[in-house]
Amino acid sequence: MDYGFHAPTMSWPVVGGLMIEPTESEDKLEIDRFIDAFKQIRAEIAEIENGEVDKEDNVLKNSPHTLNHLVADEWNHSYSR
């Protein structure tokens, strides 16, 4: 949701795997944008794994970030909005 997507249909048919089924109405540009979001999420995971960001206060642990949270006067996180 932090990347502007509504949750797609998902299932876990194999342990450790994730299957995502986009609808027929999604065009290639939207599918590519979705894949790019997954790549960015993987990079965020790597930052945690490599100790580059706090294990408790990070964009993944605190997601999704609601609009109210993003525009609030107070921001108590170690990362930027």
Side-chain angles (χ1 to χ4, degrees), residues 3 5 29-41:
Y3 286 90
F5 293 99
L29 272 171
E30 189 67 0
I31 301 269
D32 288 345
R33 193 172 77 86
F34 188 69
I35 291 168
D36 288 341
F38 263 74
K39 288 177 181 177
Q40 181 60 39
I41 292 166

Side-chain angles (χ1 to χ4, degrees), residues 48-68:
I48 296 167
E49 291 172 334
N50 297 332
E52 298 169 29
V53 297
D54 189 285
K55 286 187 177 187
E56 296 301 319
D57 185 30
N58 59 69
V59 294
L60 292 174
K61 186 88 168 183
N62 295 313
S63 68
H65 296 82
T66 66
L67 183 59
N68 287 341

